[in-house]
Amino acid sequence: MGHAWLKHREALLALVIILMIGAIGSRAPSFVSPGNLVEMFNDTAILIILALGQMMVLLTKGIDLSMAANLALTGMIVALLNAHYPGIPVVALLALATLLGLLMGMINGLLVWRLGIPAIVVTLGTMSIYRGIIFLLTDGGWVNSHQMSADFLSLPRSTLMGLPLLSWCAIAALLLLTDDSVDADRYAAGLCQLNRERQALEQQIWEEASAIACRYPPRAPDKNTIIPELYRV
Protein backbone atom coordinates (compact mmCIF):
# COMPACT_ATOMS: atom_id res chain seq x y z
CA MET A 1 0.00 0.00 0.00
CA GLY A 2 2.92 2.31 0.73
CA HIS A 3 4.34 1.85 -2.77
CA ALA A 4 0.94 2.65 -4.31
CA TRP A 5 0.74 5.80 -2.21
CA LEU A 6 4.16 6.93 -3.42
CA LYS A 7 3.10 6.55 -7.06
CA HIS A 8 0.98 9.69 -6.71
CA ARG A 9 3.04 12.72 -7.71
CA GLU A 10 1.31 14.98 -5.21
CA ALA A 11 1.97 12.61 -2.31
CA LEU A 12 5.61 12.19 -3.28
CA LEU A 13 6.06 15.94 -3.60
CA ALA A 14 4.44 16.48 -0.18
CA LEU A 15 6.81 13.90 1.32
CA VAL A 16 9.84 15.66 -0.19
CA ILE A 17 8.66 19.02 1.18
CA ILE A 18 8.15 17.55 4.66
CA LEU A 19 11.61 15.99 4.62
CA MET A 20 13.17 19.29 3.51
CA ILE A 21 11.35 21.23 6.24
CA GLY A 22 12.47 18.67 8.80
CA ALA A 23 16.08 18.80 7.64
CA ILE A 24 16.19 22.61 7.74
CA GLY A 25 14.35 22.68 11.07
CA SER A 26 16.91 20.37 12.62
CA ARG A 27 19.57 22.98 11.86
CA ALA A 28 17.46 26.07 12.57
CA PRO A 29 14.55 25.31 14.94
CA SER A 30 13.08 28.78 14.48
CA PHE A 31 12.43 27.90 10.83
CA VAL A 32 9.67 25.42 11.76
CA SER A 33 8.03 27.65 14.34
CA PRO A 34 4.28 28.13 13.63
CA GLY A 35 4.66 31.87 13.17
CA ASN A 36 7.43 31.50 10.61
CA LEU A 37 5.54 28.81 8.67
CA VAL A 38 2.46 31.02 8.53
CA GLU A 39 4.55 33.94 7.27
CA MET A 40 6.14 31.79 4.56
CA PHE A 41 2.77 30.47 3.45
CA ASN A 42 1.33 33.97 3.31
CA ASP A 43 4.33 35.23 1.31
CA THR A 44 3.84 32.46 -1.28
CA ALA A 45 0.04 32.65 -1.34
CA ILE A 46 0.02 34.99 -4.34
CA LEU A 47 2.37 32.62 -6.18
CA ILE A 48 0.03 29.71 -5.43
CA ILE A 49 -2.91 31.61 -6.90
CA LEU A 50 -0.93 32.56 -10.01
CA ALA A 51 0.35 29.00 -10.48
CA LEU A 52 -3.18 27.60 -10.30
CA GLY A 53 -4.33 30.08 -12.92
CA GLN A 54 -1.42 29.17 -15.16
CA MET A 55 -2.26 25.49 -14.68
CA MET A 56 -5.71 25.99 -16.18
CA VAL A 57 -4.17 27.70 -19.20
CA LEU A 58 -1.67 24.88 -19.68
CA LEU A 59 -4.43 22.28 -19.52
CA THR A 60 -6.01 23.91 -22.58
CA LYS A 61 -2.75 23.62 -24.56
CA GLY A 62 -1.94 27.30 -24.04
CA ILE A 63 0.52 29.41 -22.11
CA ASP A 64 0.33 32.88 -20.61
CA LEU A 65 3.60 34.79 -20.43
CA SER A 66 1.83 38.01 -19.48
CA MET A 67 0.49 36.82 -16.13
CA ALA A 68 3.10 38.62 -14.02
CA ALA A 69 2.77 41.77 -16.13
CA ASN A 70 -1.01 41.60 -15.72
CA LEU A 71 -0.57 41.41 -11.96
CA ALA A 72 1.96 44.24 -11.94
CA LEU A 73 -0.17 46.59 -14.04
CA THR A 74 -3.31 45.87 -12.04
CA GLY A 75 -1.47 46.41 -8.77
CA MET A 76 0.14 49.62 -9.99
CA ILE A 77 -3.16 51.13 -11.17
CA VAL A 78 -4.88 50.30 -7.90
CA ALA A 79 -1.92 51.57 -5.85
CA LEU A 80 -1.81 54.84 -7.77
CA LEU A 81 -5.53 55.38 -7.29
CA ASN A 82 -5.24 54.69 -3.58
CA ALA A 83 -2.24 57.00 -3.24
CA HIS A 84 -3.89 59.91 -5.06
CA TYR A 85 -7.50 59.30 -3.97
CA PRO A 86 -7.37 57.65 -0.53
CA GLY A 87 -11.09 58.19 -0.07
CA ILE A 88 -11.98 55.45 -2.58
CA PRO A 89 -13.33 52.42 -0.66
CA VAL A 90 -11.07 49.38 -0.59
CA VAL A 91 -13.95 47.20 -1.83
CA ALA A 92 -14.21 49.38 -4.94
CA LEU A 93 -10.46 49.04 -5.53
CA LEU A 94 -10.74 45.25 -5.23
CA ALA A 95 -13.58 45.19 -7.75
CA LEU A 96 -11.57 47.40 -10.10
CA ALA A 97 -8.52 45.15 -9.80
CA THR A 98 -10.65 42.11 -10.63
CA LEU A 99 -12.15 43.81 -13.68
CA LEU A 100 -8.75 44.99 -14.91
CA GLY A 101 -7.25 41.53 -14.63
CA LEU A 102 -10.28 40.04 -16.38
CA LEU A 103 -10.08 42.62 -19.18
CA MET A 104 -6.40 41.98 -19.86
CA GLY A 105 -6.99 38.23 -19.81
CA MET A 106 -9.88 38.64 -22.25
CA ILE A 107 -7.64 40.58 -24.63
CA ASN A 108 -5.23 37.65 -24.69
CA GLY A 109 -8.03 35.16 -25.16
CA LEU A 110 -9.69 37.07 -27.99
CA LEU A 111 -6.43 37.46 -29.90
CA VAL A 112 -5.74 33.73 -29.62
CA TRP A 113 -9.31 32.67 -30.34
CA ARG A 114 -10.49 35.07 -33.04
CA LEU A 115 -7.21 35.78 -34.85
CA GLY A 116 -5.65 32.37 -34.38
CA ILE A 117 -2.34 33.79 -33.16
CA PRO A 118 -0.33 31.35 -31.01
CA ALA A 119 -0.75 32.00 -27.30
CA ILE A 120 2.98 32.32 -26.72
CA VAL A 121 3.19 35.10 -29.35
CA VAL A 122 0.14 36.95 -28.04
CA THR A 123 1.13 36.86 -24.39
CA LEU A 124 4.73 37.76 -25.17
CA GLY A 125 3.48 40.88 -26.92
CA THR A 126 0.93 41.82 -24.28
CA MET A 127 3.53 41.27 -21.57
CA SER A 128 5.69 43.97 -23.14
CA ILE A 129 2.67 46.23 -23.64
CA TYR A 130 1.49 45.91 -20.04
CA ARG A 131 4.99 46.57 -18.71
CA GLY A 132 5.26 49.59 -21.00
CA ILE A 133 1.98 50.96 -19.68
CA ILE A 134 3.35 50.70 -16.14
CA PHE A 135 6.36 52.78 -17.15
CA LEU A 136 4.14 55.38 -18.82
CA LEU A 137 1.90 55.66 -15.77
CA THR A 138 4.73 55.99 -13.26
CA ASP A 139 7.50 57.48 -15.41
CA GLY A 140 9.77 54.84 -13.91
CA GLY A 141 8.84 55.77 -10.35
CA TRP A 142 7.53 53.80 -7.37
CA VAL A 143 4.52 53.86 -5.10
CA ASN A 144 5.71 53.50 -1.50
CA SER A 145 3.69 52.13 1.38
CA HIS A 146 3.61 55.45 3.22
CA GLN A 147 1.65 56.91 0.29
CA MET A 148 -1.20 54.42 0.70
CA SER A 149 -4.12 54.52 3.10
CA ALA A 150 -4.12 52.49 6.30
CA ASP A 151 -7.21 50.52 5.27
CA PHE A 152 -5.60 49.54 1.97
CA LEU A 153 -2.42 48.32 3.68
CA SER A 154 -4.22 46.44 6.44
CA LEU A 155 -6.51 44.42 4.16
CA PRO A 156 -4.04 41.65 3.13
CA ARG A 157 -2.75 41.52 6.71
CA SER A 158 -6.21 40.95 8.18
CA THR A 159 -6.32 37.57 9.94
CA LEU A 160 -9.06 34.98 10.21
CA MET A 161 -8.54 32.01 12.53
CA GLY A 162 -4.85 32.80 12.72
CA LEU A 163 -4.23 33.02 8.98
CA PRO A 164 -4.01 36.20 6.86
CA LEU A 165 -6.74 36.87 4.32
CA LEU A 166 -4.42 36.25 1.36
CA SER A 167 -3.61 32.79 2.68
CA TRP A 168 -7.31 31.95 2.88
CA CYS A 169 -7.70 33.06 -0.74
CA ALA A 170 -4.94 30.65 -1.77
CA ILE A 171 -6.54 27.81 0.20
CA ALA A 172 -9.92 28.51 -1.42
CA ALA A 173 -8.33 28.44 -4.88
CA LEU A 174 -6.60 25.15 -4.08
CA LEU A 175 -9.83 23.55 -2.89
CA LEU A 176 -11.73 24.83 -5.91
CA LEU A 177 -9.27 23.60 -8.52
CA THR A 178 -8.37 20.30 -6.85
CA ASP A 179 -11.99 19.16 -6.66
CA ASP A 180 -12.71 15.67 -8.00
CA SER A 181 -14.69 17.17 -10.88
CA VAL A 182 -11.46 18.70 -12.23
CA ASP A 183 -9.56 15.64 -13.49
CA ALA A 184 -6.17 17.11 -14.32
CA ASP A 185 -4.61 13.72 -15.08
CA ARG A 186 -7.21 13.03 -17.76
CA TYR A 187 -6.61 16.40 -19.41
CA ALA A 188 -2.84 15.94 -19.27
CA ALA A 189 -3.00 12.45 -20.79
CA GLY A 190 -5.21 13.68 -23.61
CA LEU A 191 -2.89 16.59 -24.35
CA CYS A 192 0.11 14.28 -24.53
CA GLN A 193 -1.65 12.14 -27.14
CA LEU A 194 -2.67 15.20 -29.13
CA ASN A 195 0.89 16.52 -29.04
CA ARG A 196 2.26 13.20 -30.31
CA GLU A 197 -0.22 13.17 -33.18
CA ARG A 198 0.53 16.78 -34.05
CA GLN A 199 4.27 16.17 -34.04
CA ALA A 200 3.82 13.14 -36.29
CA LEU A 201 1.70 15.19 -38.69
CA GLU A 202 4.25 18.00 -38.76
CA GLN A 203 7.02 15.49 -39.44
CA GLN A 204 5.06 13.93 -42.31
CA ILE A 205 4.36 17.35 -43.85
CA TRP A 206 7.99 18.36 -43.51
CA GLU A 207 9.22 15.19 -45.21
CA GLU A 208 6.80 15.53 -48.12
CA ALA A 209 7.62 19.22 -48.56
CA SER A 210 11.34 18.42 -48.55
CA ALA A 211 10.82 15.69 -51.12
CA ILE A 212 8.91 18.04 -53.42
CA ALA A 213 11.53 20.75 -53.03
CA CYS A 214 14.26 18.29 -54.00
CA ARG A 215 12.14 17.04 -56.94
CA TYR A 216 11.87 13.58 -55.50
CA PRO A 217 8.52 11.85 -55.21
CA PRO A 218 7.30 11.61 -51.63
CA ARG A 219 7.44 8.20 -50.08
CA ALA A 220 4.23 6.28 -49.58
CA PRO A 221 2.82 6.73 -46.09
CA ASP A 222 3.17 3.83 -43.73
CA LYS A 223 -0.10 1.97 -43.16
CA ASN A 224 0.64 1.83 -39.45
CA THR A 225 1.17 5.58 -39.12
CA ILE A 226 -1.06 7.47 -36.75
CA ILE A 227 -1.59 10.29 -39.25
CA PRO A 228 -4.84 8.93 -40.76
CA GLU A 229 -6.31 8.81 -37.27
CA LEU A 230 -6.36 12.62 -37.28
CA TYR A 231 -8.89 12.64 -40.10
CA ARG A 232 -11.14 9.91 -38.79
CA VAL A 233 -14.49 11.14 -37.50
Side-chain angles (χ1 to χ4, degrees):
M1 181 176 178
H3 293 289
W5 183 76
L6 289 176
K7 288 183 180 179
H8 294 281
R9 294 187 299 270
E10 295 84 357
L12 185 59
L13 181 59
L15 178 61
V16 171
I17 293 174
I18 292 173
L19 291 176
M20 291 177 61
I21 292 176
I24 298 174
S26 64
R27 302 287 295 179
S30 60
F31 179 79
V32 293
S33 63
N36 188 59
L37 292 177
V38 169
E39 286 296 329
M40 286 193 298
F41 181 73
N42 189 53
D43 290 340
T44 57
I46 186 64
L47 299 179
I48 294 173
I49 297 172
L50 291 175
L52 291 173
Q54 187 72 264
M55 180 192 73
M56 300 305 295
V57 177
L58 293 174
L59 288 178
T60 59
K61 298 190 297 180
I63 190 169
D64 188 356
L65 302 179
S66 66
M67 181 173 289
N70 185 327
L71 173 67
L73 178 55
T74 301
M76 182 58 71
I77 291 175
V78 171
L80 287 172
L81 285 174
N82 181 256
H84 290 86
Y85 306 99
I88 299 177
V90 177
V91 176
L93 293 176
L94 289 177
L96 177 62
T98 303
L99 291 175
L100 287 174
L102 179 62
L103 176 61
M104 286 184 275
M106 286 178 59
I107 292 173
N108 290 337
L110 287 173
L111 291 175
V112 174
W113 171 46
R114 299 297 296 179
L115 300 183
I117 306 174
I120 190 171
V121 176
V122 169
T123 56
L124 183 62
T126 53
M127 177 186 69
S128 301
I129 293 172
Y130 297 158
R131 291 187 181 276
I133 294 174
I134 295 173
F135 183 81
L136 291 175
L137 291 175
T138 62
D139 198 22
W142 296 86
V143 179
N144 298 309
S145 59
H146 68 270
Q147 300 175 262
M148 304 177 190
S149 65
D151 292 339
F152 185 80
L153 293 175
S154 63
L155 178 64
R157 298 187 177 94
S158 302
T159 58
L160 177 65
M161 298 175 61
L163 282 179
L165 183 61
L166 192 59
S167 297
W168 283 113
C169 292
I171 293 173
L174 278 170
L175 294 176
L176 177 64
L177 296 181
T178 55
D179 188 78
D180 292 337
S181 61
V182 182
D183 194 346
D185 289 336
R186 184 186 305 170
Y187 282 115
L191 292 179
C192 289
Q193 178 63 26
L194 288 173
N195 286 333
R196 285 195 295 269
E197 294 176 353
R198 185 181 63 182
Q199 291 172 2
L201 177 60
E202 291 176 351
Q203 180 66 23
Q204 181 75 16
I205 294 174
W206 176 257
E207 291 178 359
E208 293 183 0
S210 299
I212 294 174
C214 297
R215 297 186 179 180
Y216 287 105
R219 63 179 178 83
D222 186 4
K223 294 181 179 180
N224 297 323
T225 183
I226 67 172
I227 302 302
E229 297 294 332
L230 296 175
Y231 303 95
R232 182 176 297 175
V233 179

